[in-house]
Amino acid sequence: MIRIGMGQIEVIPGNPRKNKETILQAIAYAKALRLDLLILPELALSGYLIGDVWDQPAFVNECVTMGEDIIKATQNIAVIFGNVGLDPAKHNADGRVRKYNAIFAAQNGKVIAPQESPYPFVIKTLDPNYRFFNEVRYFTNLTTVAYELHRPVEELLGLLPFSFKGEPFTVAPLLCEDSWDENYLISPTTTLQEKSQLLETPIDAYINISASPFTLGKNERRHRLFQTRAKELNAPIFYINSVGLQNNGKSLCTFDGQSTVYTAEGQIGVQLPAYEATIQPVLLEKLATTYEPVNLLEGQPVKRELPPLPVPNEIEQIYNTLHYGIRSFLKQTGIKKIIIGVSGGIDSALNAALYATILDPSQIYLVNMPSRFNSHATKDLAAQLAHNLGCHYAVCPVEDSLQLTTNQLNKLTFSRPSGETESITLSSFVKENIQARDRSSRILAGIAAAVGGAFTCNGNKTEFTIGYATLYGDLAGFLAATSDLWKYQVYGLAQYLNTVIFKRQVIPQGTIDIIPSAELSENQDITKGQGDPLQYEYHDRLFRAFIEPWNRLSPEDILLAYKEKRLVSLLDLPQPIEQYFKSAHDFIADLERWWNLFSGMAVAKRIQSPPVIVVSRRAYGGDLQEAQMKPYYTDAYYSLKAELL
């Protein structure tokens, strides 16, 4: 029986000193539990998302040196951990010293080298180069090493030969993407299995160490993939992931842990909690030619027949991610006071309630900034929200400053050397933007500076998609915590906070029920039913199709589906398309209106927007790479349009 520790530790990006302390503490704890093997995550010393810090030789050397300290600490225990591997004698095409994303293994103070590897560490074979994963920029993979040595890459994939209690114990080591190999030319997992058969050395466990950030649906897909693979291999798979918050500047990624052991029967034997740093001991019991994992929590073994995990609730996952992400970001940045502009609407109310799950009410300042266009209903709802949360609350009208700015600009005259003069005229739309900028750039920023805090951006993904926000106005803030949530998820999360988290009506029901409106002009009067120019039930799903599918949809795809009467199923609409648009003309006009904004001015706004906490499979910021270009329609689109009209 082999005692293995699942080392789901918190990794602090760019702080190898702190991470080394954490790892040494984990090793000491594992020794106290008399574990045989401790498994730690990918790049456990450096962190995964650290940007171009990888270009600093001093930082890389620090990680390498501290990795050697970890190896020395493995007396009376074996440890597997992720770190950067360095080859000072080689340089890449960009002239920088050769670096590898690597697995290091050690036992009793000595390195356990993988069989047939040219290095004393395991090199990652499959470097992901999509979404915010950009390993090709920094690391060299095993395929390149094999090419340079004129050897098949399969020969260089090696097993790790441990020995416990006088008996051999063979590990098949894999680094994160090496197990997600469906679309690659090589399968490291299959190669290691075939090598073990060739060497007549059974693999006792497959171990995948990862730095895998949370997105909705990722863990469910991983379970399907790893359960199937474990059953095919007839061997347990250990998946070890880190927890923590890391970022690439614009995308704040929560690493959710949820480390898992998959049994040889293809079941989930153990799954660790999300967002919790822990060391979980697991017993591997020898059964015939395979090992079977058994959870050892308080000596209670898990039954062989395991019930399936409950299907995760999407809104619950979103709440856990945002709560952890906000709390971690505040800790990282040292921000202790938050200022939120509350309008009485759903988005600002949701943000206020989210921050109230993390901070004491005395640290939260809510500000209502009405003009003559704001209704008594929304002003009352903002005050009610502040009362329910017990936060600081103030009303700071913007009508006077709006009139001041309007009068100044209306009286402004531009002159040229030729003597020509020109005055400007402020449209209703320009006046709307003046209000929004005054609220954020002047009032909220001023209050934040005065109390020593930061103010939030309360936008959602629907608004970000088409730029339905004012640049330097409500698009500003230190963090856009809810900007990866569609409008329907905003409402769902608001209800969840009331019923599950606070267990009382913190967000007023009136805020949930009221028609969404910016209330910036006489044309946005909620008492007359004049709300936002969006049918959220439809547009949430349309905009999602522009962004989140791996093969993103364009107007051509949407219009073809409309013509073939399969748009309802394509977008998963709750109602027939005729409920939203009376004619093809109306449908096409709406599609082009939002596509022009999405791929036009909204791109510039998104580039200048605050950081985002990643929830979806494709978030704005560093996750979805965008270029500023003119909106484009294919020839096929124009043909379909002509036919339908």
Side-chain angles (χ1 to χ4, degrees), residues 17-284:
R17 184 181 302 105
K18 177 62 177 176
N19 294 328
K20 173 187 166 182
E21 292 175 4
T22 300
I23 292 171
L24 291 178
Q25 290 171 2
I27 292 174
Y29 181 68
K31 288 181 180 179
L33 294 176
R34 294 182 292 123
L35 301 183
D36 299 301
L37 172 64
L38 174 64
I39 312 169
L40 298 164
E42 178 182 17
L43 294 174
L45 276 163
S46 60
Y48 186 82
L49 294 175
I50 62 172
D52 285 348
V53 172
W54 286 120
D55 297 341
Q56 300 173 6
F59 178 85
V60 175
N61 292 332
E62 177 102 324
C63 293
V64 171
T65 300
M66 291 187 172
E68 294 169 353
D69 294 339
I70 301 300
I71 292 169
K72 293 174 185 176
T74 61
Q75 297 295 335
N76 302 315
I77 195 171
V79 176
I80 292 174
F81 67 99
N83 194 19
V84 57
L86 192 64
D87 187 344
K90 289 186 179 294
H91 290 75
N92 291 328
D94 60 7
R96 294 187 174 96
V97 172
R98 178 72 61 85
K99 298 181 291 292
Y100 303 104
N101 186 347
I103 294 176
F104 287 80
Q107 186 174 20
N108 295 321
K110 296 182 179 180
V111 171
I112 303 295
Q115 299 165 343
E116 297 190 60
S117 172
Y119 293 97
F121 46 77
V122 177
I123 300 172
K124 193 169 187 177
T125 305
L126 308 177
D127 284 341
N129 191 30
Y130 52 85
R131 295 191 68 193
F132 33 64
F133 305 109
N134 198 6
E135 293 188 39
V136 175
R137 183 180 178 93
Y138 308 111
F139 301 116
T140 299
N141 57 36
L142 188 64
T143 304
T144 300
V145 175
Y147 175 81
E148 292 174 344
L149 295 175
H150 305 290
R151 295 176 62 184
V153 66
E154 289 81 2
E155 288 185 6
L156 303 186
L157 278 161
L159 303 171
L160 292 173
F162 290 95
S163 177
F164 299 117
K165 301 176 176 66
E167 296 291 332
F169 186 85
T170 303
V171 166
L174 298 157
L175 264 160
C176 200
E177 188 81 357
D178 289 346
S179 292
W180 302 77
D181 55 18
E182 310 107 301
N183 299 315
Y184 288 92
L185 297 177
I186 181 173
S187 169
T189 305
T190 302
T191 298
L192 290 170
Q193 180 194 35
E194 293 172 348
K195 179 164 284 191
S196 76
Q197 294 170 345
L198 183 65
L199 298 173
E200 298 182 351
T201 304
I203 293 174
D204 296 303
Y206 289 79
I207 291 177
N208 179 294
I209 67 170
S210 289
S212 185
F214 171 83
T215 53
L216 287 171
K218 181 205 69 175
N219 286 314
E220 293 73 47
R221 179 169 171 252
R222 168 170 59 83
H223 287 330
R224 291 192 297 270
L225 176 66
F226 280 50
Q227 285 180 275
T228 300
R229 185 59 64 87
K231 193 171 184 178
E232 292 171 351
L233 298 169
N234 192 31
I237 299 177
F238 283 74
Y239 165 82
I240 308 298
N241 189 23
S242 59
V243 298
L245 182 74
Q246 303 186 36
N247 70 84
N248 64 0
K250 292 283 282 186
S251 298
L252 304 182
C253 298
T254 62
F255 289 71
D256 59 327
Q258 300 205 59
S259 303
T260 308
V261 182
Y262 302 89
T263 72
E265 287 80 19
Q267 293 183 303
I268 295 174
V270 181
Q271 178 172 291
L272 302 192
Y275 301 116
E276 183 179 316
T278 183
I279 307 295
Q280 171 68 60
V282 173
L283 179 69
L284 274 189

Side-chain angles (χ1 to χ4, degrees), residues 455-497:
F455 71 95
T456 66
C457 172
N458 303 324
N460 59 63
K461 196 169 188 174
T462 310
E463 295 169 348
F464 271 52
T465 297
I466 41 87
Y468 190 52
T470 302
L471 196 60
Y472 318 125
D474 51 338
L475 200 65
F478 86 104
L479 174 66
T482 55
S483 63
D484 199 23
L485 303 188
W486 299 108
K487 195 72 169 184
Y488 78 88
Q489 292 170 324
V490 167
Y491 282 104
L493 186 54
Q495 296 279 18
Y496 181 83
L497 284 167

Side-chain angles (χ1 to χ4, degrees), residues 326-397:
I326 294 170
R327 177 163 55 85
S328 299
F329 193 58
L330 292 178
K331 182 179 178 181
Q332 285 183 7
T333 57
I335 295 171
K336 294 181 171 58
K337 295 181 179 180
I338 293 298
I339 296 82
I340 303 176
V342 288
S343 64
I346 187 67
D347 295 294
S348 58
L350 175 62
N351 275 269
L354 277 171
Y355 281 94
T357 67
I358 299 160
L359 297 174
D360 187 85
S362 64
Q363 298 171 291
I364 301 174
Y365 296 76
L366 305 185
V367 188
N368 183 241
M369 298 164 285
S371 71
R372 67 181 184 277
F373 304 118
N374 292 94
S375 66
H376 289 292
T378 53
K379 287 185 284 189
D380 291 344
L381 289 169
Q384 186 180 343
L385 171 72
H387 175 78
N388 293 347
L389 293 174
C391 301
H392 295 287
Y393 180 67
V395 177
C396 185

Side-chain angles (χ1 to χ4, degrees), residues 556 559 563 634-645:
E556 177 188 330
L559 204 55
K563 174 194 171 185
T634 63
D635 287 345
Y637 173 83
Y638 284 120
S639 297
L640 285 166
K641 177 181 177 179
E643 180 182 347
L644 287 167
L645 294 181

